[in-house]
Amino acid sequence: MTVIEVSTTVNVPPSEAYAFVLDFEGHDDYSEHVESVTRRGDGGEGTRFDIELSWWKLSYTFPTQVTGLDEPTRIGWRTPNGLHATGDWRFERVAPGGDEGVAPEDAADGSREAADGGVESERTRVTLRAEYDRSRSRLPSTPPLVSFDDVLGRLKPVVRREARRVFEHAVADLEGERRRVTLDVDVY
């Protein structure tokens, strides 16, 4: 079993980050490799999102299905086909002051006054976790004379670039301005 976790911190409350991610089909323009996202369902548990991907010589519809909603802390998902992948989006409030050494005081509107007199808004740690069992999965077909391992080798740098691009677009939409995003990526 391979586990991949990608995390970043956004300057919005958990409820706002949760609602943003749950509106999944609204994000198909974040990646040049996502052709479309189609929602099948009301957005609640059991809703399926078909993500049409294209890259290099490959085209694939990647279906995901919502398996659990714990507003505003978690959105569970799985792939309902032969890929044997499961995971979740997690939304954790960052403690006031976080890791930046700020000594905030709570304000009536939920914002916090930082030690330097500025206002610190609520922050949320957003984590996408995916578990994948390659040995049990039916992998998408590859072009003739191209092995799946060759495709994975070509795909890894693309995934890293696209993850940064997608997260930066999402953070800009959430926070209202573009900024460089720090991604923490763990694979185990």
Side-chain angles (χ1 to χ4, degrees), residues 52-120:
E52 183 70 33
L53 302 168
S54 65
W55 168 77
W56 188 52
K57 299 177 181 182
L58 304 174
S59 183
Y60 182 71
T61 299
F62 183 75
T64 61
Q65 185 174 30
V66 176
T67 60
L69 298 172
D70 301 315
E71 188 174 353
T73 60
R74 184 181 166 278
I75 300 169
W77 61 269
R78 71 178 186 92
T79 56
N81 63 2
L83 288 180
H84 291 280
T86 61
D88 57 19
W89 286 91
R90 291 178 296 199
F91 310 89
E92 299 175 78
R93 184 178 314 276
V94 174
D99 54 342
E100 296 161 13
V102 179
E105 297 177 19
D106 288 337
D109 66 358
S111 64
R112 295 168 179 87
E113 184 175 336
D116 65 2
V119 174
E120 178 187 350

